[in-house]
Amino acid sequence: MTEQATSTNADPAADGIALARRAVEIAEDRQASDILLLDVRNICGYADAFVLMTVESKRQGQAIQEAMHKGLKESGQAVLRTEGDADAGWLLMDFNDVIVHIFAGEQRKLYGLEQLWRSAVPLVRIQ
């Protein structure tokens, strides 16, 4: 059974963006760098937002993954699935309307998601 966010907000997409903003806060608290929140609602059929970040080490990536899992679950949305791992330098966490990407620097350049989704609206960028 999947936990779903419960809200009195009439706009479910706004709930996704709010959840993505919470993911940005968690990433910033855990010292991720180059954090980017992209609004993909108008160009993507399976998510409202992508959150991308860069980490300096495997340990930091794992710590952020754990913090995201706990923090977003407390916000009302459990992770649906994860892909990748810290050893590979890329972790993806699917929170239904929000997709979180945790990258090592080289893998972020390799995957080039900012270019791939360049028509998305950047809502937050923290260098």
Side-chain angles (χ1 to χ4, degrees), residues 109-120:
K109 289 176 193 171
L110 176 70
Y111 285 100
L113 293 185
E114 287 96 333
Q115 275 302 105
L116 183 64
W117 295 98
R118 66 183 166 271
S119 57

Side-chain angles (χ1 to χ4, degrees), residues 8-110:
T8 57
N9 191 337
D11 182 5
D15 289 345
I17 298 299
L19 191 71
R21 288 184 185 279
R22 177 68 184 120
V24 167
E25 291 171 4
I26 292 167
E28 189 174 24
D29 287 347
R30 297 297 186 282
Q31 307 295 313
S33 62
D34 198 11
I35 303 166
L36 178 61
L37 167 54
L38 295 174
D39 181 343
V40 296
R41 290 177 288 187
N42 292 325
I43 58 172
C44 179
Y46 58 88
D48 293 337
F50 291 166
V51 178
L52 292 77
M53 69 198 71
T54 302
V55 296
E56 297 300 318
S57 68
K58 173 183 163 181
R59 175 178 244 157
Q60 183 186 26
Q62 290 170 328
I64 290 174
Q65 179 185 24
E66 291 169 13
M68 287 287 171
H69 180 78
K70 181 179 178 188
L72 296 185
K73 185 175 183 179
E74 289 171 355
S75 294
Q77 179 62 58
V79 66
L80 299 178
R81 74 171 200 258
T82 60
E83 293 183 21
D85 61 38
D87 288 329
W90 170 71
L91 293 158
L92 177 144
M93 301 181 77
D94 181 349
F95 291 95
N96 195 27
D97 293 329
V98 178
I99 309 296
V100 174
H101 298 271
I102 304 169
F103 288 107
E106 288 300 312
Q107 280 71 19
R108 185 161 180 178
K109 289 176 193 171
L110 176 70

